Amino acid sequence: MGGRREAEGVQLVLLGPPGAGKGTQAEMLSQFYGIPQISTGNILRAAVQAGSELGRQAQKYMNAGQLVPDEVIIGVVQERLGKPDCAAGFLLDGFPRTVPQAEALDRVLAEMERPLTAAVEVAVDPEEVVERLSLRRTCPQCAAVYHLKNKPPRQPGVCDACGAALVQREDDREEVIRKRLEVYAQQTAPLVDYYAGKKLLLKVDGGQEIGAVQAEIRRKLEAVVNKA
Ligand code: AP5
């Protein structure tokens, strides 16, 4: 899906269960609006790979399908939002994940005088994500996301974008996926009401094919972005 939309000051949050397609849609939206995709999952995986203190703290939670503590992740996001590439807007993928994270984000954005444009909920049937995630492959180098059936790489096992060997994520084993779904239902799903209450929620059907989900998101965002 081509084209690029210059839209200054678009601040987005993507919500949805594991495997809903947040990362896939975020990558496309980030290119379309010319704003950085800030994926807390990618930041944490890069930290684990680098063996940093953050990675050391996060790894045990991630491998068990649990959330890393709020105080750890909030600081990471606050620092990232201060970087110059966020001046024209940003897209948060995988943050906030709890009500305290959402409240912290509100405080940070109020300080920056950059109100949220919308929170996009990518809704899917939990059973569907188990299949999606077991067939997902990711690039450990550039974080590109593939699916063996729905979005295969051109050459099996090799990243189209950077040529690195694709891997299966540690937390994409069925028992961990089920734990992540449980954690989503308990800790993250309340954010749907949180953003609906603030009149910022846009719900899209994540069960459609990838291009159709993107088209629905852009259509729904168009009205809001034009108003901003
Ligand atoms: P994170 O990396 O954020 O994982 P997640 O939220 O579980 O989401 P996923 O990356 O699994 O799925 P996605 O929705 O991005 O789907 P994708 O586009 O890849 O977090 C990992 C861990 O880090 C957490 O468990 C936690 O420990 C920690 N963490 C991260 N943020 C945190 C925070 N804020 N607080 C605390 N802890 C945090 O798509 C999935 C697959 O389906 C792909 O193969 C894709 O090709 C395919 N696909 C996508 N869309 C479609 C479609 N429409 N139809 C068919 N297939 C599709």
Side-chain angles (χ1 to χ4, degrees):
M1 194 172 289
R4 176 164 167 175
R5 171 82 156 69
E6 293 298 333
E8 211 168 299
V10 180
Q11 281 84 234
L12 301 174
V13 158
L14 272 189
L15 289 175
K22 301 181 295 297
T24 302
Q25 298 300 328
E27 205 179 308
M28 296 162 91
L29 288 171
S30 152
Q31 280 174 18
F32 184 65
Y33 286 114
I35 53 177
Q37 168 189 1
I38 302 175
S39 157
T40 42
N42 288 347
I43 293 173
L44 293 171
R45 278 184 290 280
V48 169
Q49 221 177 353
S52 68
E53 175 56 23
L54 171 64
R56 202 191 52 72
Q57 284 181 43
Q59 189 167 27
K60 62 175 186 292
Y61 296 103
M62 295 174 80
N63 288 352
Q66 286 166 346
L67 298 182
V68 306
D70 287 341
E71 59 274 20
V72 173
I73 199 72
I74 288 169
V76 169
V77 172
Q78 183 161 14
E79 192 192 324
R80 180 65 186 84
L81 291 177
K83 297 261 161 72
D85 65 339
C86 292
F90 52 81
L91 194 167
L92 286 163
D93 158 18
F95 183 94
R97 283 273 234 285
T98 62
V99 171
Q101 289 182 18
E103 290 168 348
L105 178 64
D106 286 346
R107 285 193 295 274
V108 171
L109 295 184
E111 266 170 41
M112 294 169 74
E113 298 182 10
R114 304 289 299 278
L116 211 55
T117 311
V120 177
E121 180 199 2
V122 184
V124 285
D125 171 359
E127 278 313 309
E128 188 171 329
V129 307
V130 179
E131 199 228 56
R132 280 192 187 179
L133 292 179
S134 11
L135 295 180
R136 171 166 63 184
R137 296 295 179 272
T138 56
C139 176
Q141 206 151 290
C142 73
V145 179
Y146 300 89
H147 188 276
L148 296 183
K149 267 203 317 217
N150 306 327
K151 196 188 171 204
R154 284 193 292 271
Q155 193 185 334
V158 179
C159 179
D160 292 349
C162 74
L166 300 178
V167 297
Q168 182 164 25
R169 269 171 45 176
E170 278 283 324
D171 58 352
D172 277 351
R173 288 173 289 122
E174 185 166 343
E175 69 278 16
V176 186
I177 296 171
R178 295 210 181 269
K179 179 68 195 169
R180 287 160 62 203
L181 282 169
E182 207 180 292
V183 168
Y184 177 82
Q186 284 166 359
Q187 300 191 54
T188 310
L191 293 184
V192 170
D193 284 345
Y194 181 89
Y195 286 116
K198 291 177 179 285
K199 308 262 182 284
L200 286 171
L201 190 74
L202 298 180
K203 182 173 177 164
V204 300
D205 174 8
Q208 312 168 81
E209 60 88 21
I210 293 173
V213 179
Q214 179 70 191
E216 187 181 343
I217 297 177
R218 285 194 202 167
R219 199 171 56 245
K220 291 194 166 157
L221 274 176
E222 198 63 19
V224 185
V225 170
N226 283 341
K227 258 197 284 168

